[in-house]
Amino acid sequence: MTNHNPTRQRGSIDRSPLCSTYCEPPMRTLTALVLAFLFCPAIASAKPNVIFFIADDVSWNDYGCYGNAAARTPNIDALAETGIRFDRAFLTASSCSPSRSSIITGRYPHNNGQAAELHQPIAWNLPWFPTLLRQGGYYTALSGKHHMTFGPPPAGIKIKRAIPFDHVDNGRTKGNSGGHANWRKITKERPKDKPFFFWFASYDAHRGWDADRQWDEDRYGSMHKPADVVVPPFLVDDQETREDLASYYNEVTRFDHYIGEVVAELKEQGELDNTLIFVLADNGRPFPRAKTRIHDSGMKTALVAHWPKGIKSPGRASDSLVSVIDLAPTVLKVAGLEPTDTMQGVNLQPLLNRTASQVRKFAFSEHNWHDYEAHGRGVRGDGFLLIKNFRPYKAWQGPADSVRSPSHVSLKAKRDAKKLSPAQADVFLAPRPAVELYDLRNDPHQLTSLAGRPDFNIQRELLSQKLDQWMKETHDSVPEEISQDSFDRETGKSLDVKNYRKTTPGEDKGATKVNAPGPR
């Protein structure tokens, strides 16, 4: 870019990269300013770029900016320091594809049709917000984990499918199967005449721990040491669990590194200030009592927003309740587009520009089939979490990959020796309480249920009423036959069963055609 020279002759040409045509130099008259904007429409109407960085299976408190002194996430921490850290952001499902499908449609899992369950398609009639961005002039790309598909239309209905992404790749290359190998390349080689939306989704930190095998110390620094990790109270503090957690931390650090590469590229292009960045995850860490749980260890997500041009008073934390279904309408609004009637979330712009401190009173979550039969619902509000379990006779031990983990093996050994603490025993508890109530301010791990205490009847009744109202208004349901176990609960091995899929929640009530959001 040509530096401004105050001694430059009047009438000389400024070859500004912000404009595709030559622009007149700055003038003091209103007429000249109007002409400048006419000749440089990009200056007057530049729409913000948007990037989602989505981690796979990472709990909210495994980042440095959320207080984990052992986690090494300098790039995410830097975005939080100059953006907003949301301290009460929640997912709608603690399960990979239902969670991602919910984010991309702005709808609750059971309102997405079969996508309420793992590896199932989104109902054919529901728009994805990247499609609307693309139709609105954005260049859109997905690189990394996709995990979302369209369901077929009913027989006799022919549709021309709108394409949500101009570019799709799996983000993998030789020596890096983490899903982020192409992120910087896509950012660098994008069309420069359009605003862009990137869905950058890593496979880190899904089990398999390929970061250990592909570690590059020059890029990522030293590997995490087992002695330094934070072991939550519901896991066994032994060497095997610590090594398991250290490998998981390595994946989180690798995810952070590639976020830093994209941010560096945006800086080089001069686009960082005009780019709205969200960093989040699809569900909690793949360990016992985390992934697939409605408790915070599974359902709470880190959510960092960074946008120098659009965030007022950056470098702050927000304690507003936020649901990930709020992201779709927010992105469309900042892009100058209107959310569709199908989207059940709320616009977060008032939190970004600080015209409001709260945008919702309640946040709802659900857990449906993910390897095992399950049906649970949760609502957060006024500092409390209420859970209703419609399959209380089943244990809630976590998905099959977690059951096969060294951390779960350590828990089983301690169980067999009858040495489990109450927090650890909860992993195997069956039957479970049909209703649980937790004080989130004073019980951050949700270890002590207050559901049976008379002094908390008011909170229990309020949240129970709101949860029932939400289920009714959104046409949620508890079908008589729901999907069955397809993995062994003790070993995590496949049962090799057929026809385990049954009716998905809301399917029997036509929930895909219902747009009511329930209480907010």
Side-chain angles (χ1 to χ4, degrees):
M1 180 175 181
T2 304
N3 292 328
H4 175 65
N5 182 354
T7 62
R8 185 179 55 197
Q9 289 186 349
R10 199 172 187 81
S12 62
I13 298 298
D14 178 14
R15 300 170 182 258
S16 171
L18 295 176
C19 186
S20 60
T21 60
Y22 289 164
C23 301
E24 291 297 324
M27 300 179 184
R28 296 182 181 180
T29 67
L30 179 61
T31 302
L33 288 173
V34 171
L35 287 173
F37 278 104
L38 288 174
F39 281 97
C40 284
I43 297 176
S45 60
K47 290 187 175 184
N49 311 304
V50 183
I51 300 178
F52 281 15
F53 291 108
I54 305 178
D56 194 12
D57 297 3
V58 177
S59 288
W60 69 276
N61 52 353
D62 291 325
Y63 301 88
C65 56
Y66 281 89
N68 189 326
R72 195 166 68 246
T73 53
N75 296 298
I76 298 172
D77 298 348
L79 292 175
E81 287 174 4
T82 52
I84 302 176
R85 187 192 71 216
F86 292 92
D87 288 346
R88 292 202 296 159
F90 295 95
L91 303 160
T92 58
S94 185
S95 176
C96 308
S97 63
S99 178
R100 293 166 187 263
S101 297
S102 192
I103 294 167
I104 211 163
T105 63
R107 292 171 66 81
Y108 292 109
H110 69 271
N111 291 114
N112 275 335
Q114 292 180 329
E117 296 183 353
L118 184 68
H119 301 152
Q120 294 284 76
I122 298 170
W124 70 278
N125 60 303
L126 300 175
W128 299 12
F129 80 84
T131 304
L132 304 178
L133 289 174
R134 186 170 181 266
Q135 292 170 343
Y138 274 71
Y139 174 75
T140 60
L142 183 154
S143 183
K145 186 170 184 176
H146 198 319
H147 227 46
M148 300 164 293
T149 57
F150 290 106
I157 296 181
K158 294 183 179 180
I159 60 169
K160 185 177 181 180
R161 182 75 67 193
I163 300 174
F165 297 104
D166 293 287
H167 171 89
V168 175
D169 69 60
N170 65 15
R172 287 173 164 155
T173 190
K174 185 177 180 180
N176 182 358
S177 54
H180 26 53
N182 299 328
W183 290 359
R184 185 164 192 169
K185 181 175 184 288
I186 290 170
T187 307
K188 186 174 184 177
E189 297 179 358
R190 64 183 174 83
K192 300 302 191 293
D193 60 344
K194 293 183 177 182
F196 59 83
F197 169 74
F198 296 153
W199 179 285
F200 285 162
S202 75
Y203 297 92
D204 294 341
H206 199 281
R207 279 195 176 274
W209 304 154
D210 55 4
D212 284 3
R213 301 187 298 273
Q214 300 168 352
W215 196 257
D216 185 336
E217 193 163 313
D218 291 336
R219 290 185 175 183
Y220 317 135
S222 60
M223 299 178 81
H224 288 273
K225 298 178 181 178
D228 296 335
V229 302
V230 178
V231 182
F234 38 82
L235 297 182
V236 177
D237 191 350
D238 62 5
Q239 185 62 22
E240 290 76 15
T241 299
R242 284 185 167 273
E243 289 178 358
D244 207 13
L245 283 166
S247 293
Y248 160 73
Y249 276 34
N250 289 339
E251 303 251 329
V252 178
T253 290
R254 185 169 69 163
F255 169 64
D256 176 86
H257 169 80
Y258 287 96
I259 291 176
E261 284 204 352
V262 174
V263 169
E265 180 62 35
L266 291 172
K267 287 180 179 177
E268 287 184 18
Q269 295 182 20
E271 290 286 351
L272 182 62
D273 286 358
N274 195 39
T275 301
L276 170 58
I277 294 172
F278 283 112
V279 181
L280 65 155
D282 60 358
N283 52 249
R285 68 176 81 91
F287 283 77
R289 206 182 184 272
K291 183 177 179 179
T292 74
R293 281 291 186 115
I294 291 179
H295 304 85
D296 282 8
S297 51
M299 203 66 73
K300 189 173 183 178
T301 181
L303 181 63
V304 171
H306 186 270
W307 184 20
K309 282 191 175 181
I311 290 177
K312 186 177 180 180
S313 304
R316 56 186 164 92
S318 170
D319 68 351
S320 174
L321 269 177
V322 170
S323 172
V324 291
I325 61 170
D326 301 335
L327 297 177
T330 301
V331 170
L332 291 173
K333 279 289 191 181
V334 302
L337 303 171
E338 284 302 312
T340 63
D341 293 339
T342 61
M343 294 176 180
Q344 297 166 307
V346 299
N347 180 16
L348 300 181
Q349 275 185 298
L351 299 180
L352 302 181
N353 59 31
R354 217 164 189 178
T355 57
S357 59
Q358 303 289 326
V359 294
R360 58 165 62 241
K361 294 181 179 179
F362 305 101
F364 297 89
S365 303
E366 56 190 86
H367 172 45
N368 306 304
W369 182 93
H370 182 129
D371 299 340
Y372 303 108
E373 179 183 346
H375 194 298
R377 298 294 182 262
V379 55
R380 289 170 170 83
D382 197 28
F384 287 84
L385 163 64
L386 181 119
I387 297 173
K388 287 191 176 182
N389 191 344
F390 295 93
R391 287 296 186 272
Y393 47 86
K394 300 283 188 178
W396 222 348
Q397 76 273 32
D401 61 347
S402 173
V403 171
R404 296 190 296 266
S405 72
S407 297
H408 193 89
V409 170
S410 292
L411 282 167
K412 287 197 295 185
K414 202 168 182 181
R415 175 201 62 187
D416 295 344
K418 299 187 182 337
K419 294 182 179 180
L420 290 173
S421 69
Q424 296 161 349
D426 181 77
V427 173
F428 305 100
L429 182 63
R432 297 189 60 81
V435 178
E436 302 172 43
L437 178 69
Y438 298 99
D439 180 346
L440 299 175
R441 298 183 185 94
N442 299 309
D443 186 10
H445 291 292
Q446 294 97 63
L447 301 178
T448 304
S449 177
L450 307 172
R453 285 182 46 174
D455 48 335
F456 288 94
N457 280 348
I458 293 176
Q459 290 87 352
R460 172 178 169 168
E461 289 306 312
L462 170 65
L463 292 180
S464 180
Q465 185 272 326
K466 292 299 179 183
L467 186 59
D468 291 345
Q469 179 186 350
W470 172 75
M471 292 183 68
K472 180 179 179 180
E473 293 180 0
T474 62
H475 287 212
D476 193 8
S477 69
V478 188
E480 289 186 13
E481 283 193 292
I482 62 176
S483 297
Q484 307 295 301
D485 291 3
S486 61
F487 290 83
D488 186 273
R489 287 180 174 263
E490 183 69 9
T491 65
K493 294 181 179 180
S494 174
L495 295 175
D496 195 24
V497 294
K498 297 179 180 180
N499 301 320
Y500 60 87
R501 297 277 193 187
K502 305 297 180 182
T503 306
T504 55
E507 183 179 350
D508 50 336
K509 291 191 174 184
T512 59
K513 298 179 181 178
V514 174
N515 300 331
R520 297 193 297 198

